[in-house]
Amino acid sequence: MSTGRTTFTMIKPDAVKRNNIGPILAKMNEGGFRIVAMKYTRLTAEQAGKFYEIHKERPFYGELVAFMSSGPIVAAILEKDNAVEDFRTLIGATDPSKAAEGTIRRLFATSIGENAVHGSDSDENAIIEGNFFFSQLERF
Ligand code: UDP
Ligand code: MG
């Protein structure tokens, strides 16, 4: 069980295109998460490649980098007790067809690749990923 109070998320290009920023943010708020930092931005392919470097050897890496740089995203740091684990529960499984009823991916994702949201998988990665996007002055 994780103990950190923050996690990092992105609303991915598929969800932005489908006009689901508002409904997804509402789910995050309803799930008890407070917004610490937030920005609407677009990653270059180089930036997306660096963010997902951990997956470099996976067969889907090229497709993932192309998708994540295909349009704007919303990046955010979120706060709640047990943030990483509780947020992974709120978003559901990577593959939306396997995600539990009522989860963000079940509600808003269309495929295992275009799965609406990112959520950090550990406290350590939550810190690394938050630092990728936000300075201390951008956190409240
Ligand atoms: N992904 C993909 N095909 C796969 C597995 C993952 O395109 O077979 C993409 C998907 O967008 C996923 C991201 O790569 O969210 C990172 O994969 P990971 O296994 O870390 O899943 P997550 O932590 O996002 O649930
Ligand atoms: Mg992951």
Side-chain angles (χ1 to χ4, degrees), residues 2-123:
S2 86
T3 52
R5 287 196 34 88
T6 62
T7 190
F8 172 80
T9 187
M10 288 184 282
I11 300 175
K12 296 186 179 184
D14 59 319
V16 172
K17 277 195 194 85
R18 296 159 76 93
N19 219 18
N20 282 327
I21 295 174
I24 290 173
L25 290 178
K27 288 282 170 202
M28 293 177 187
N29 283 152
E30 287 160 17
F33 290 87
R34 186 183 77 79
I35 296 164
V36 172
M38 173 166 284
K39 66 177 66 166
Y40 190 31
T41 186
R42 181 174 178 165
L43 294 168
T44 64
E46 190 184 355
Q47 288 166 334
K50 183 158 184 268
F51 184 89
Y52 282 109
E53 203 150 39
I54 193 167
H55 295 308
K56 199 154 57 186
E57 306 307 325
R58 310 273 287 275
F60 57 82
Y61 178 72
E63 207 179 337
L64 175 61
V65 168
F67 164 58
M68 288 303 296
S69 57
S70 70
I73 55 128
V74 175
I77 297 172
L78 302 176
E79 182 180 70
K80 183 186 180 295
D81 286 340
N82 200 40
V84 166
E85 188 181 356
D86 288 0
F87 191 70
R88 296 288 304 198
T89 301
L90 182 69
I91 69 176
T94 308
D95 181 348
S97 71
K98 295 183 180 130
E101 205 68 53
T103 59
I104 291 174
R105 281 170 166 167
R106 179 64 172 263
L107 288 166
F108 300 106
T110 52
S111 71
I112 191 167
E114 305 205 355
N115 59 3
V117 287
H118 170 82
S120 303
D121 63 5
S122 67
D123 290 343

